[in-house]
Amino acid sequence: MAQNRMSQSDYDRIRTNYLYLLENLQAKNITGHLFQYDVIDHDDLEEINLREENKGRKAGVEILLSKLRWCAGDSFNLFIKSLEENGYHEVVQTLKVSQ
């Protein structure tokens, strides 16, 4: 049976670093990769980018993190890959060492 959300352990890494992620990410920098990797769909892509455009950087990150919670499969590792490909190496290290 297919999982309909991110594994609890992966989500816990995001939750534990939530405020850090809000301060250190810009959603529009990684949404294209997440869309390409089929982590988010086109509607999600538009919603995240529109939220960031209208309400600011943090609002875009908030909705991105919220949507990631409901992404199944290898979504966390693809999120990490998207971060790496966009130069967020410090963020990746922080997430990888989190338990």
Side-chain angles (χ1 to χ4, degrees), residues 4-5 7 13 16 19 21 26-27 29 33 35 49 52 56-57 60 63 68 73-74 86 88 91 96:
N4 63 356
R5 64 182 184 180
S7 75
R13 290 187 202 188
T16 299
L19 294 176
L21 294 170
Q26 185 154 6
N29 291 343
H33 283 92
F35 175 69
N49 289 337
E52 184 170 313
R57 184 192 56 76
I63 195 161
L68 281 174
D74 201 25
N86 285 283
Y88 286 106
V91 173
K96 284 185 174 180

Side-chain angles (χ1 to χ4, degrees), residues 48-62:
I48 294 163
N49 289 337
L50 189 61
R51 176 75 58 95
E52 184 170 313
E53 183 180 311
N54 291 332
K55 300 205 179 216
R57 184 192 56 76
K58 283 186 182 180
V61 176
E62 284 176 338

